[in-house]
């Protein structure tokens, strides 16, 4: 079965530290990977997408992709309390039209 | 990023009535849109994939006669919850696929059926 796996957490990180969120996926042929942030009671908001192996940086966020290990991660530098949310990893699996989402990691940034 | 709107944002209705939710891509054309449902403290559940000009594809366990989807144009998809019951109360979220392959979400519609 095609899957995207995430640790549900909660992951607690002190303010100012680096938060590291991890995700694995089952389809070796997947090419596109996405990270969304969802605040409680709100819809998901796209943070980053990554297609190539290696790192992709955007402000305080860095996405990392390792296709050989089927692993995607999201690093948040200088974590702020406003970063507290559920982070969803997503990928296109098996040629599907729609994204397959992980169950999300609940991140808590402690002031 | 691309903008997707949803209307209404919140609706309260009586049991047995039908509710229509609209999803619009405001600044791009979306041949494919998706409808999700999310219950409190649970993850997103894909209900159906909506393709412009053709019938929607429903996920296993989703009743197509209860959740009617119409994708009549490249910027509009509608979801109609027919004969709604309290167990249909949920947060309904649409998304639209912007070329080449990024999905953008609408703000969601919170449905409460009394």
């Amino acid at each position: 079965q095609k899957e995207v796996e995430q640790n549900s957490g909660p992951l607690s990180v002190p303010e100012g530290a680096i938060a590291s969120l991890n995700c694995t996926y089952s389809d070796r042929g997947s090419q596109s990977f996405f990270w969304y942030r969802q605040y409680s009671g709100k819809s998901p908001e796209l943070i980053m997408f990554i297609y190539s192996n290696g790192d992709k940086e955007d402000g305080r966020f860095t996405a990392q992709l390792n296709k050989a290990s089927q692993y995607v991660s999201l690093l948040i530098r200088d974590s702020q309390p406003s970063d507290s949310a559920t982070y969803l990893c997503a990928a296109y699996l098996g040629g599907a039209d729609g994204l397959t989402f992980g169950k999300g990691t609940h991140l808590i940034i402690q002031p | 990023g691309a903008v997707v709107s949803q209307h209404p944002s919140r609706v309260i209705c009586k049991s047995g009535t039908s509710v229509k939710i609209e999803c619009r891509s405001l600044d791009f054309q979306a041949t494919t849109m998706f409808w999700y449902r999310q219950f409190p403290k649970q993850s997103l559940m894909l209900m159906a994939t909506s393709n412009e000009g053709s019938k929607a594809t429903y996920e296993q366990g989703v009743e197509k006669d209860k959740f009617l989807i119409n994708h009549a144009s490249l910027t509009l998809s509608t979801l109609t919850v027919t004969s709604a019951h309290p167990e249909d109360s949920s947060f309904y979220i649409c998304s639209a696929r912007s070329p080449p392959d990024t999905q953008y979400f609408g703000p969601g519609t919170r449905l409460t059926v009394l």
Side-chain angles (χ1 to χ4, degrees):
Chain A
Q1 186 171 347
K2 306 294 185 183
E3 291 182 337
V4 174
E5 302 273 0
Q6 291 181 260
N7 188 322
S8 62
L11 172 65
S12 187
V13 173
E15 183 176 358
I18 296 175
S20 177
L21 303 161
N22 304 315
C23 172
T24 59
Y25 58 95
S26 61
D27 183 3
R28 186 170 290 277
S30 295
Q31 299 293 322
S32 309
F33 306 89
F34 303 81
W35 281 100
Y36 290 82
R37 176 174 63 196
Q38 186 176 25
Y39 292 112
S40 181
K42 301 294 185 182
S43 69
E45 168 193 11
L46 179 68
I47 298 176
M48 292 187 72
F49 56 84
I50 185 167
Y51 300 146
S52 303
N53 273 329
D55 295 0
K56 179 182 178 182
E57 188 174 317
D58 183 1
R60 295 188 296 115
F61 298 98
T62 299
Q64 298 176 318
L65 175 60
N66 183 325
K67 291 186 180 180
S69 300
Q70 296 176 230
Y71 178 91
V72 190
S73 65
L74 180 70
L75 302 178
I76 306 174
R77 288 182 299 282
D78 187 23
S79 297
Q80 303 296 311
S82 58
D83 295 326
S84 298
T86 296
Y87 288 80
L88 302 168
C89 172
Y92 288 103
L93 303 182
D97 277 340
L99 287 167
T100 298
F101 285 86
K103 294 189 183 299
T105 298
H106 183 203
L107 175 65
I108 299 171
I109 306 300
Q110 295 179 321
Chain B
V3 179
V4 176
S5 70
Q6 250 182 274
H7 178 79
S9 58
R10 184 181 295 269
V11 60
I12 301 172
C13 69
K14 293 181 179 179
S15 184
T17 59
S18 294
V19 175
K20 180 187 278 190
I21 304 170
E22 291 187 348
C23 177
R24 293 182 185 272
S25 57
L26 298 185
D27 51 1
F28 66 99
Q29 293 184 329
T31 55
T32 306
M33 291 184 172
F34 306 88
W35 288 96
Y36 295 83
R37 181 167 54 180
Q38 188 173 37
F39 294 104
K41 299 191 185 303
Q42 294 189 22
S43 60
L44 290 168
M45 287 176 44
L46 179 64
M47 298 175 67
T49 301
S50 167
N51 290 297
E52 187 266 337
S54 64
K55 291 185 179 180
T57 303
Y58 290 82
E59 295 298 302
Q60 192 171 8
V62 178
E63 301 173 56
K64 63 179 181 181
D65 294 331
K66 180 170 183 61
F67 298 99
L68 301 179
I69 292 172
N70 186 291
H71 192 160
S73 79
L74 288 172
T75 58
L76 174 63
S77 176
T78 61
L79 168 68
T80 301
V81 183
T82 62
S83 186
H85 288 94
E87 58 267 29
D88 298 323
S89 299
S90 189
F91 190 40
Y92 291 85
I93 313 172
C94 73
S95 72
R97 185 167 172 168
S98 172
D101 63 3
T102 302
Q103 276 185 230
Y104 293 94
F105 284 87
T109 297
R110 192 161 301 283
L111 171 64
T112 303
V113 185
L114 302 176

